[in-house]
Amino acid sequence: MRALRPLLRRSLLALIVAGGTVTGAHAGNQQYEPLAASVQAALHAAVADQAPLDPSFQRSPERARWLAEMSQRLARRIPDEAYRSELLRAVHYEATRAGLDPQLVLGLIQVESGFKKYALSSAGARGYMQVMPFWARLIGNEETNLFHMRTNLRFGCTILRHYLDIEKGDLFRALGRYNGSLGRAEYPNLVRAAWERNWSYPDSLRLAQN
């Protein structure tokens, strides 16, 4: 934790200089659960790979249409077009890499942080996907900054995939674990509603594989 504090202070200082604010978020409290050594190693390997973003948006008309559509929907929340495009490309890449529907991840981000990069919940969860700091210690390293865009998305998608695997594909229960509210319907219903009302897209699973 001490190793993370300077990174957090620098992130918050940069936010203040930029005129932003640290906001509370809807996130609950992902619960720490001891991991088997093999699982911990697999999760560490999953978040450690920092391959460049897939350039296929430039080659695929379908992905280009997806990007244009999602960018239009997100414009009210993130006016900066270049940054909006960067975020959407990263969401698509990290979600697809983890075997998740990118639209599901967009719905989760909407509920968790309202697309605020520096969102900080009362429980200490951080960033777009509201990742708890214990994950940085458990499967990251001393340089892990959970306010960094791709780091936050990489951790969040990897964690949700982990919970889906634990729950054998049961999204309701996996979302409950992600939010620290396992067995209660409010959070899974909020994410599903955000996903279906704001981010649904035809053939999204097929698109993720093309």
Side-chain angles (χ1 to χ4, degrees):
M1 185 66 180
R2 289 178 181 176
L4 292 174
R5 286 173 181 164
L7 290 172
L8 176 58
R9 284 197 296 269
R10 288 197 294 272
S11 297
L12 296 180
L13 178 59
L15 178 62
I16 292 168
V17 169
T21 57
V22 180
T23 61
H26 186 280
N29 183 10
Q30 294 161 4
Q31 301 298 311
Y32 170 77
E33 300 176 22
L35 300 176
S38 58
V39 175
Q40 185 173 358
L43 293 176
H44 174 75
V47 299
D49 176 16
Q50 292 298 323
L53 290 179
D54 185 349
S56 61
F57 281 96
Q58 299 173 358
R59 302 193 304 265
S60 168
E62 288 191 357
R63 290 195 179 191
R65 284 193 292 270
W66 177 89
L67 182 61
E69 175 66 24
M70 295 300 113
S71 182
Q72 183 178 1
R73 297 184 195 185
L74 190 56
R76 181 176 60 84
R77 297 175 183 273
I78 302 179
D80 186 320
E81 183 178 1
Y83 187 78
R84 195 166 68 238
S85 177
E86 180 186 3
L87 174 61
L88 287 168
R89 289 169 184 262
V91 167
H92 192 283
Y93 178 83
E94 297 299 344
T96 303
R97 181 180 181 275
L100 303 173
D101 189 321
Q103 285 67 240
L104 162 63
V105 174
L106 288 170
L108 185 148
I109 292 172
Q110 178 184 330
V111 172
E112 287 285 346
S113 67
F115 292 92
K116 295 178 175 65
K117 180 178 181 179
Y118 292 102
L120 182 66
S121 78
S122 58
R126 300 170 184 178
Y128 289 117
M129 296 188 72
Q130 290 292 274
V131 178
M132 290 294 289
F134 73 78
W135 284 107
R137 301 191 299 272
L138 191 64
I139 61 175
N141 55 53
E142 292 184 355
E143 302 302 317
T144 299
N145 177 5
L146 293 175
F147 287 120
H148 180 271
M149 177 195 291
R150 283 198 63 196
T151 299
N152 188 271
L153 297 174
R154 172 67 56 86
F155 271 73
C157 290
T158 298
I159 292 163
L160 181 56
R161 178 76 261 169
H162 168 62
Y163 288 145
L164 273 168
D165 291 342
I166 289 176
E167 296 296 344
K168 298 178 172 58
D170 187 326
L171 181 60
F172 180 90
R173 289 183 59 83
L175 288 171
R177 284 185 179 275
Y178 192 93
N179 181 250
S181 58
L182 182 61
R184 299 198 293 274
E186 179 186 7
Y187 178 78
N189 288 345
L190 282 172
V191 172
R192 181 169 288 278
W195 175 15
E196 293 177 350
R197 292 174 186 171
N198 300 314
W199 309 108
S200 61
Y201 191 81
D203 299 324
S204 60
L205 290 177
R206 180 175 62 83
L207 172 67
Q209 298 171 352
N210 288 341

